[in-house]
Amino acid sequence: MYQNWSQDSPEERQQKIAALYYDKLKHAGRGHEAVKYVRGLRKGHHDQSELQYSVIIEGLSVLEAALKYQVDFKYLFVCPADIYSPLAQLVLAQLTDKAHHSFLVSPKTFTLISAKDNSNGLLAVSGIDKAKLKELKSRSPELIIILDGLETPGNIGTIIRSADAVNADGIIITNRRARLFTPLMVRSSRGACFKFPIVESSVSEASSFLLSNDYEIILADTAAPINYYRHSYSRPTALIMGSERFGISIEWYTYPHTKVSIPMYGDCDSLNVSIAATVLLYEMRLQKEKLLNRA
Amino acid sequence: MYQNWSQDSPEERQQKIAALYYDKLKHAGRGHEAVKYVRGLRKGHHDQSELQYSVIIEGLSVLEAALKYQVDFKYLFVCPADIYSPLAQLVLAQLTDKAHHSFLVSPKTFTLISAKDNSNGLLAVSGIDKAKLKELKSRSPELIIILDGLETPGNIGTIIRSADAVNADGIIITNRRARLFTPLMVRSSRGACFKFPIVESSVSEASSFLLSNDYEIILADTAAPINYYRHSYSRPTALIMGSERFGISIEWYTYPHTKVSIPMYGDCDSLNVSIAATVLLYEMRLQKEKLLNRA
């Protein structure tokens, strides 16, 4: 259905797209409100509202993920000069269908808002709802991950990617240190960040929710005497990961919990947090699927 | 023994250090041969020799690791204005003792060679020997990791950090795509890259070495019918990881091997390669330690 336009000149692509989507695309120059909004977002302006994260999404695979998870697209920016692959055209068609406002921008204007080398001429701004704890309850309660005080959006995104791999039910962020839904977090998550309820919460509200819903709280603690593979994860499980620098905040330790560690056989005293999280998550998932015999 | 010099002015630190190490530190300005060498290294000049990697090392913890693993320090650059913590002074003392040539540089010159925000005024250039396959044989042969065609120095470094955690015996790089011993690789490995023999090899030489030393070759393949936890890793194990983009090169498949996969329960079709490697490595290590009951 879609042909490859790589032989066309940028001007020819511009004409085709402007014609195909004449009723959807409005021209926007660098002074346009929406363009200025994105540039402000990049600099950290437009403080997150209480209800939504404003998220810049670029890259075909994360845009596809965002479409799959039915994200709300407020703005779409289209730079036809860079759109030529069949996949880019397909994503363009889907996005113009969904976006509240779609803008046609020049290559110059696009470079002002794009931060990625190979954006294929597409950039979206979405509003991602800030989830509430009660939304977690409505899913089959089995495996929730709590990220306490993590500092690196890349690590958070990678853990979310792993959360998808083990079919976890949601993510809770306590003692948030890192900005959420940055381009790096979105990219590291491979778009899985749009799939899960991601809840920001205080420790007391999160623990209250977890304990009243029969979750067993598991703290990943390098000093724990029990190794992770020795514990039986038969109850609904809430895995708490702390930052590499500070560990898990002391408040989590004041609630009923079990500590588990990953044995370290070499000189380093810890693993990268997203790596440690995934080692634990796989043990938990495989046990819950009854695929492992454990002593 | 070492006091904190944070209350001293940069000039006072300069005086103290110049006095303490008057016999070791030579002044070097931006035109100095060694300074120009480091700047060239940063730009990718000074193509790696056949025998050694030239490695820029900065950051106190990786310098400590390099000292621990008795790396050969060719050059040390010292910017006294930035040295104040007791740890930095200790590392400075150890480095000036080991380095072939130590240079005292001004803050301006230091910014020309440093790429890190908090370098604590210390930067070293080391020569890391390129290991040979036969060096792997001399260690207790149990668990070797082969990285085939990986593209990201950060992922390579993170896998090396995990290799330390499971006490692996060495790393083989085949079909090298990424630059090795970049600052990001060193940092991601937390200095464990100085601990292991890291061997660059062709697939045919590596496979020949492995098979003649009774290693079982395990290919991490997302399409493999066997899940990783179902295999018994009782023989010496060589785990091959491929790049996220291209997988393992076809040549590895032409040698006797077993393919294993990590089950994916969500929408993503793969895990980050350093994450996948660590999940597999822990299963292998725990089995070899006879800590797991398997069906």
Side-chain angles (χ1 to χ4, degrees):
Chain A
M1 183 185 174
Y2 294 106
Q3 312 215 324
N4 195 303
W5 290 348
S6 51
Q7 299 308 316
D8 292 344
S9 71
E11 294 71 28
E12 284 168 327
R13 295 173 202 155
Q14 166 101 3
Q15 284 172 7
K16 283 184 186 177
I17 285 173
L20 274 167
Y21 299 101
Y22 74 93
D23 56 331
K24 295 249 172 77
L25 292 177
K26 299 185 274 289
H27 282 266
R30 61 182 296 164
H32 192 286
E33 189 179 33
V35 173
K36 295 202 286 195
Y37 178 77
V38 178
R39 298 186 73 187
L41 254 189
R42 287 242 183 249
K43 292 177 193 158
H45 303 165
H46 315 300
D47 278 352
Q48 306 295 2
S49 82
E50 279 207 35
L51 299 173
Q52 285 201 330
Y53 303 97
S54 291
V55 188
I56 296 172
I57 312 177
E58 35 175 0
L60 287 184
S61 52
V62 284
L63 283 167
E64 282 188 288
L67 282 160
K68 174 162 71 181
Y69 299 123
Q70 300 181 307
V71 143
D72 183 48
F73 295 96
K74 292 188 167 355
Y75 297 140
L76 171 67
F77 299 88
V78 180
C79 178
D82 297 332
I83 298 176
Y84 55 85
S85 71
L87 179 60
Q89 296 169 48
L90 174 63
V91 173
L92 167 64
Q94 295 172 319
L95 287 173
T96 46
D97 198 46
K98 298 274 182 248
H100 294 244
H101 303 282
S102 299
F103 301 103
L104 199 152
V105 298
S106 68
K108 260 194 174 174
T109 304
F110 196 74
T111 52
L112 292 177
I113 57 174
S114 170
K116 201 175 181 303
D117 281 339
N118 47 350
S119 262
N120 303 99
L122 295 167
L123 184 146
V125 177
S126 296
I128 305 295
D129 291 330
K130 296 192 173 187
K132 301 271 177 250
L133 283 169
K134 58 180 190 255
E135 292 172 49
L136 293 169
K137 191 174 179 182
S138 59
R139 297 166 69 101
S140 159
E142 259 198 6
L143 185 50
I144 288 179
I145 302 152
I146 295 86
L147 305 181
D148 181 78
L150 265 63
E151 303 184 87
T152 316
N155 277 334
I156 295 176
T158 303
I159 293 175
I160 294 173
R161 181 181 177 184
S162 294
D164 170 83
V166 298
N167 201 21
D169 301 308
I171 317 277
I172 302 174
I173 308 285
T174 57
N175 292 308
R176 182 177 68 77
R177 283 199 177 94
R179 265 192 76 195
L180 298 179
F181 287 97
T182 63
L184 179 57
M185 176 186 143
V186 172
R187 199 162 62 241
S188 305
S189 81
R190 295 294 189 270
C193 60
F194 304 126
K195 169 179 183 172
F196 291 104
I198 295 181
V199 183
E200 285 189 62
S201 167
S202 64
V203 174
S204 63
E205 282 186 0
S207 55
S208 184
F209 167 84
L210 293 169
L211 293 168
S212 60
N213 285 286
D214 193 38
Y215 278 85
E216 181 181 27
I217 293 177
I218 306 286
L219 305 187
D221 185 331
T222 51
I226 306 171
N227 281 322
Y228 71 101
Y229 54 88
R230 287 238 176 274
H231 187 73
S232 168
Y233 304 99
S234 45
R235 290 171 50 200
T237 305
L239 169 63
I240 325 279
M241 303 298 303
S243 68
E244 295 195 41
R245 246 206 307 177
F246 303 108
I248 297 169
S249 63
I250 200 84
E251 195 183 348
W252 274 114
Y253 286 81
T254 65
Y255 300 99
H257 65 273
T258 302
K259 292 181 275 288
V260 300
S261 61
I262 299 173
M264 301 292 288
Y265 293 96
D267 297 331
C268 284
D269 56 15
S270 67
L271 292 167
N272 165 284
V273 64
S274 57
I275 296 222
T278 314
V279 169
L280 297 169
L281 287 170
Y282 263 93
E283 177 69 22
M284 293 166 176
R285 171 52 66 208
L286 293 174
Q287 276 199 27
K288 290 170 184 297
E289 300 294 316
K290 302 195 188 331
L291 291 169
L292 302 176
N293 254 7
R294 285 280 185 250
Chain B
M1 184 185 173
Y2 293 104
Q3 312 217 324
N4 196 304
W5 290 348
S6 50
Q7 299 308 315
D8 292 345
S9 70
E11 293 72 27
E12 285 168 323
R13 295 173 202 155
Q14 167 102 2
Q15 284 172 7
K16 283 184 187 178
I17 286 172
L20 275 167
Y21 300 100
Y22 74 93
D23 57 330
K24 296 244 170 78
L25 293 177
K26 299 186 274 288
H27 282 265
R30 63 182 295 164
H32 193 284
E33 189 178 33
V35 172
K36 295 202 285 196
Y37 178 76
V38 178
R39 298 186 73 188
L41 255 190
R42 288 244 182 247
K43 292 177 193 156
H45 304 165
H46 315 300
D47 279 352
Q48 307 294 2
S49 81
E50 278 206 34
L51 299 174
Q52 284 202 329
Y53 304 96
S54 290
V55 188
I56 295 172
I57 311 178
E58 34 176 0
L60 287 185
S61 52
V62 284
L63 284 168
E64 282 189 288
L67 282 161
K68 174 163 70 181
Y69 299 123
Q70 300 181 305
V71 144
D72 183 47
F73 296 96
K74 292 188 168 356
Y75 297 141
L76 171 66
F77 298 88
V78 180
C79 179
D82 298 333
I83 298 175
Y84 56 85
S85 71
L87 179 60
Q89 295 168 47
L90 173 63
V91 173
L92 166 64
Q94 294 173 318
L95 286 173
T96 46
D97 199 46
K98 297 271 181 256
H100 294 244
H101 304 284
S102 300
F103 301 103
L104 200 152
V105 297
S106 69
K108 259 194 176 174
T109 305
F110 196 73
T111 52
L112 293 177
I113 58 174
S114 170
K116 200 175 182 302
D117 281 339
N118 47 350
S119 261
N120 302 101
L122 294 168
L123 183 146
V125 178
S126 296
I128 305 295
D129 291 331
K130 296 192 174 187
K132 301 272 177 250
L133 283 170
K134 58 182 191 254
E135 294 172 48
L136 293 169
K137 190 173 180 181
S138 59
R139 297 167 69 101
S140 158
E142 259 198 7
L143 185 51
I144 288 180
I145 302 151
I146 294 86
L147 305 181
D148 181 79
L150 265 65
E151 303 184 87
T152 316
N155 278 335
I156 294 177
T158 303
I159 293 174
I160 293 173
R161 180 180 177 184
S162 294
D164 170 83
V166 299
N167 201 21
D169 301 307
I171 317 276
I172 302 175
I173 309 285
T174 57
N175 292 309
R176 182 177 67 78
R177 283 200 177 94
R179 265 193 77 194
L180 299 179
F181 287 98
T182 63
L184 179 56
M185 177 186 143
V186 171
R187 198 162 61 241
S188 306
S189 81
R190 296 293 191 271
C193 59
F194 304 127
K195 169 180 183 171
F196 290 104
I198 296 179
V199 183
E200 286 190 60
S201 168
S202 65
V203 174
S204 62
E205 283 187 357
S207 55
S208 184
F209 167 85
L210 294 169
L211 293 167
S212 61
N213 285 286
D214 193 39
Y215 278 84
E216 182 182 25
I217 292 177
I218 306 287
L219 305 187
D221 184 331
T222 51
I226 306 171
N227 281 324
Y228 71 100
Y229 54 87
R230 286 237 176 274
H231 187 73
S232 169
Y233 303 100
S234 47
R235 289 171 52 199
T237 305
L239 170 64
I240 324 281
M241 303 299 303
S243 68
E244 294 195 41
R245 236 193 329 167
F246 304 108
I248 297 169
S249 64
I250 200 83
E251 195 183 348
W252 273 113
Y253 286 81
T254 65
Y255 300 101
H257 65 273
T258 302
K259 292 181 274 288
V260 300
S261 61
I262 300 174
M264 302 291 288
Y265 293 95
D267 296 333
C268 284
D269 56 14
S270 68
L271 291 166
N272 165 284
V273 64
S274 57
I275 296 223
T278 314
V279 170
L280 297 169
L281 286 171
Y282 263 92
E283 178 69 21
M284 294 167 175
R285 171 52 66 208
L286 294 175
Q287 275 198 28
K288 290 171 186 295
E289 301 294 315
K290 302 197 187 334
L291 291 168
L292 302 176
N293 254 7
R294 283 282 180 253

